[in-house]
Amino acid sequence: MAVPDVPALAEGVLAGERRAVARAITLVESRRADHRQAAQELLVQLLPHAGAARRVGISGVPGVGKSTFIDSLGVDLTAAGSKVAVLAVDPSSARSGGSILGDKTRMARLAVDPAAFIRPAPTAGTLGGVAQATRESMVVVEAAGYDVVLVETVGVGQSEVAVAEMVDTFLFLTLARTGDQLQGIKRGILEIADVIAVNKADGPGEVDARRAARELAGALRMLRGEPVPVLTCAGLSGAGLAEVWAQVVAHQDRLRASGQLAERRRAQQVRWTWQLVRDGLEHQLREHPAVRSAAPELEAAVLAGELTPALAARQLLDAFGTAPA
Amino acid sequence: MAVPDVPALAEGVLAGERRAVARAITLVESRRADHRQAAQELLVQLLPHAGAARRVGISGVPGVGKSTFIDSLGVDLTAAGSKVAVLAVDPSSARSGGSILGDKTRMARLAVDPAAFIRPAPTAGTLGGVAQATRESMVVVEAAGYDVVLVETVGVGQSEVAVAEMVDTFLFLTLARTGDQLQGIKRGILEIADVIAVNKADGPGEVDARRAARELAGALRMLRGEPVPVLTCAGLSGAGLAEVWAQVVAHQDRLRASGQLAERRRAQQVRWTWQLVRDGLEHQLREHPAVRSAAPELEAAVLAGELTPALAARQLLDAFGTAPA
């Protein structure tokens, strides 16, 4: 891709042109140095026009019915007048090269909805890189006038934490338990979930789903010490989606009323900045020739009990050349 | 404190002399540059003699009866032939200057037990610094022949995570719930607890404690997807302590039998080393004059939407002077 004409691209994004939005996201996803520079120039022009959307993270393991849920929720929202953007943070996509079927198949109705914009996860990069691309893509779609941004994650590793750091509300989808365990519950997720929905609560599964929701609500109240809304829904039929969305909206309204929404977003921006600084330093550290050549031997010495971690760390810092003389 | 004679101090520690152990810990806690150097020399001499102890983290909010529990458990263990060291990670101690009453009062029987060594938390430093001092103190007490190391934390902020990174088994103490919530449950703790004990399960509270343990076990099985031992005990009378300790031992035996114990400790050592490198870099970054002078304006520009986090991060890295030209 040639480096695009940034002012023209910004104009296209602000006019809500789909092709401009797609090109802008391709630009922010690129790791090429000249692309990175153009992307940052673009983002500076878009930033004053971003920030008006509801930012919602949606997580749940494969099989929970996430795509169908987002497809149904998305068309409900556009029918109600919203413009909906769907982004994704999926580090496994970077490993697999992306879904073979692609998101147009996964979200068949939303994919052809003129008021929706679906963007698959970037297919290259570390979690940090993927998360940064998604954060920057969020600026693009918000500047283009999308007033709901759904950030999907399959919840591999730390991806939920990364998504929680860029949204206002985190929605977690799960299934009724089989046996003694709720399916799709991952350590850590219950601490960041603002709203939980037990999906596929239709047909013969409805009774189990309702019981699972009740038990999960009780367990969460006990373990977290605060009530967390736990609902049931069925992405396929659309049953319960309005109630789930109402809880998302209620969560954001509470945050806004207490002034926490603006404060949360400000804190996210500052943490993101320093995270990028730390990521940059870590990258420089790991790539530093002297550090790379010294690290294996120092690690081995620590493991052999010949060197303390503090001494090994000092030598690594010295190798990096930033230690005070 | 003068810089001690390191070989003599090492000899005293290895002979199990209490005064030498105390002086060695004071040395590793010191932040003075010449002390740091002597401490690392000492630790290198002690390292080959460390590593044989059971390392157990114990957490629970103030009021849960932690001191009484450790006091009773400790004297049971020394009566059975163990040498018990009690260390602490308590960043709040750094703020308050330590407990007024002190640990001799908190653990009255163990404090006068010749087979026990109690060391209060360091009263200066960040969590990172306190945790490092405790890790290094662990080397000292293990080299001195203590075969059980109990690392206590009150669970302020991230201190449990820091303790989990230095022990084999994490024991969490709680109380029977009042109303609808278990007392003393903090977000995150249930993910790292290997054994849980509902304390003060005696007298009129016994029935409530047993019910709380049952409900907590059920909730954990559902949320974590694996059984976690949840027991009841009474630190004051000593009831149930043997069963709690048996679960701690069983957990470690399982880890050892599967080879995970050695692997976990090796991974802890390597992570600790790199954490010290990152802490060192972060410290240098925050103290760097150019970074300090640039940061407020850059943060303000990010918050005003005039600058992207990526551009601000680039400028902070440039200010730090480590960015490639």
Side-chain angles (χ1 to χ4, degrees):
Chain A
M1 183 175 76
V3 177
D5 175 351
V6 168
L9 190 54
E11 202 176 316
V13 168
L14 291 172
E17 292 168 14
R18 299 178 70 89
R19 284 190 55 188
V21 171
R23 287 194 67 208
I25 293 180
T26 302
L27 184 65
V28 302
E29 285 177 355
S30 172
R31 296 295 104 190
R32 246 176 61 184
D34 54 346
H35 287 169
R36 289 301 299 148
Q37 191 179 336
Q40 297 305 317
E41 290 168 16
L42 175 69
L43 291 167
V44 168
Q45 296 193 29
L46 299 181
L47 271 174
H49 306 280
R54 294 192 190 279
R55 302 168 179 171
V56 182
I58 302 183
S59 185
V61 293
V64 77
K66 206 154 60 280
S67 302
T68 305
F69 177 92
I70 293 173
D71 196 36
S72 294
L73 175 65
V75 296
D76 284 357
L77 292 171
T78 60
S82 276
K83 285 186 72 182
V84 176
V86 181
L87 306 175
V89 172
D90 178 5
S92 67
S93 173
R95 283 195 295 275
S96 69
S99 152
I100 293 166
L101 293 175
D103 295 271
K104 306 242 166 199
T105 310
R106 293 199 299 122
M107 300 172 195
R109 288 187 293 162
L110 206 56
V112 296
D113 188 328
F117 185 90
I118 302 176
R119 181 77 179 195
T123 53
T126 59
L127 172 58
V130 168
Q132 185 184 353
T134 304
R135 278 176 182 269
E136 293 180 347
S137 300
M138 191 184 283
V139 173
V140 173
V141 296
E142 288 187 358
Y146 290 89
D147 58 340
V148 172
V149 183
L150 306 177
V151 184
E152 180 189 2
T153 176
V154 294
V156 175
Q158 291 296 301
S159 58
E160 276 121 349
V161 176
V163 170
E165 268 295 309
M166 65 180 83
V167 299
D168 308 319
T169 303
F170 201 96
L171 169 63
F172 179 66
L173 297 183
T174 187
L175 295 180
R177 63 182 186 160
T178 53
D180 213 4
Q181 183 198 353
L182 274 163
Q183 286 198 351
I185 297 278
K186 219 191 68 181
R187 291 190 181 200
I189 187 66
L190 294 170
E191 311 206 334
I192 54 177
D194 299 303
V195 180
I196 295 176
V198 181
N199 197 23
K200 303 190 182 178
D202 49 2
E206 188 175 350
V207 174
D208 281 350
R210 289 193 189 280
R211 192 178 57 229
R214 227 168 20 241
E215 291 178 4
L216 186 52
L220 278 166
R221 195 166 47 238
M222 183 165 76
L223 296 178
R224 265 176 59 167
E226 57 182 0
V228 179
V230 184
L231 297 91
T232 59
C233 66
L236 200 58
S237 70
L241 293 191
E243 288 75 13
V244 172
W245 186 249
Q247 287 293 338
V248 168
V249 169
H251 175 257
Q252 296 189 339
D253 287 350
R254 282 195 303 275
L255 284 182
R256 188 175 284 112
S258 65
Q260 285 180 73
L261 189 69
E263 185 41 51
R264 177 188 285 221
R265 287 184 170 188
R266 290 170 62 92
Q268 285 176 342
Q269 288 286 93
V270 171
R271 281 200 299 268
W272 179 17
T273 304
W274 286 103
Q275 189 56 49
L276 289 171
V277 173
R278 277 191 294 270
D279 288 352
L281 272 182
E282 175 104 13
H283 178 76
Q284 290 172 23
L285 179 76
R286 296 279 177 170
E287 296 298 316
H288 196 287
V291 173
R292 286 171 69 101
S293 80
E297 205 173 311
L298 291 170
E299 284 188 7
V302 166
L303 290 174
E306 296 159 8
L307 201 58
T308 64
L311 288 173
R314 169 53 45 195
Q315 290 191 39
L316 289 166
L317 283 168
D318 286 346
F320 191 50
T322 55
Chain B
M1 184 175 77
V3 177
D5 175 352
V6 168
L9 189 54
E11 204 176 314
V13 169
L14 291 171
E17 292 168 14
R18 299 178 71 88
R19 283 191 53 189
V21 172
R23 287 193 67 210
I25 294 180
T26 301
L27 184 65
V28 302
E29 285 177 356
S30 172
R31 296 294 103 190
R32 244 175 63 184
D34 54 345
H35 287 168
R36 289 299 302 148
Q37 192 179 337
Q40 296 305 315
E41 290 168 17
L42 174 69
L43 291 167
V44 167
Q45 295 192 31
L46 300 180
L47 271 174
H49 307 279
R54 291 193 191 279
R55 302 168 178 171
V56 182
I58 301 183
S59 185
V61 293
V64 77
K66 206 155 60 276
S67 303
T68 305
F69 176 92
I70 293 173
D71 197 35
S72 295
L73 176 66
V75 295
D76 284 357
L77 292 171
T78 60
S82 278
K83 286 186 70 183
V84 177
V86 180
L87 306 175
V89 172
D90 178 5
S92 67
S93 172
R95 285 196 292 274
S96 69
S99 151
I100 293 166
L101 293 174
D103 295 271
K104 305 241 168 202
T105 310
R106 293 199 299 123
M107 300 173 195
R109 289 188 293 161
L110 206 57
V112 295
D113 188 328
F117 185 91
I118 302 176
R119 181 76 180 196
T123 53
T126 58
L127 171 59
V130 168
Q132 186 183 353
T134 304
R135 278 175 182 269
E136 293 180 345
S137 300
M138 191 183 282
V139 173
V140 174
V141 295
E142 288 188 357
Y146 291 88
D147 58 341
V148 171
V149 182
L150 305 177
V151 184
E152 179 190 3
T153 176
V154 294
V156 175
Q158 290 297 299
S159 59
E160 277 122 349
V161 176
V163 169
E165 268 295 307
M166 64 180 84
V167 299
D168 308 319
T169 303
F170 202 95
L171 169 63
F172 179 66
L173 297 182
T174 186
L175 295 179
R177 62 182 187 159
T178 53
D180 213 5
Q181 183 197 353
L182 272 163
Q183 286 197 351
I185 298 276
K186 218 191 69 182
R187 290 191 182 199
I189 187 66
L190 294 171
E191 311 205 336
I192 54 177
D194 299 303
V195 180
I196 295 176
V198 181
N199 197 22
K200 302 189 181 176
D202 49 3
E206 189 175 348
V207 174
D208 281 348
R210 288 192 191 282
R211 192 178 56 229
R214 231 173 12 246
E215 291 177 4
L216 186 52
L220 277 166
R221 197 166 45 239
M222 184 165 75
L223 297 178
R224 264 177 60 166
E226 58 182 1
V228 179
V230 183
L231 297 90
T232 59
C233 65
L236 200 57
S237 70
L241 294 192
E243 288 74 14
V244 172
W245 186 249
Q247 287 294 338
V248 169
V249 170
H251 174 257
Q252 297 189 340
D253 287 350
R254 282 195 303 275
L255 284 182
R256 189 175 283 111
S258 64
Q260 287 179 70
L261 189 68
E263 185 42 50
R264 178 187 285 222
R265 287 184 171 188
R266 290 169 62 92
Q268 284 175 343
Q269 288 286 93
V270 171
R271 280 199 299 267
W272 179 16
T273 303
W274 287 103
Q275 188 56 48
L276 289 171
V277 172
R278 278 191 293 270
D279 288 353
L281 273 182
E282 175 103 14
H283 178 76
Q284 290 173 21
L285 179 77
R286 296 279 178 170
E287 295 299 315
H288 196 288
V291 172
R292 287 171 68 101
S293 80
E297 204 172 313
L298 290 171
E299 285 187 7
V302 166
L303 290 175
E306 296 159 8
L307 202 59
T308 65
L311 288 173
R314 169 53 44 192
Q315 290 192 38
L316 289 166
L317 283 167
D318 286 346
F320 191 51
T322 55

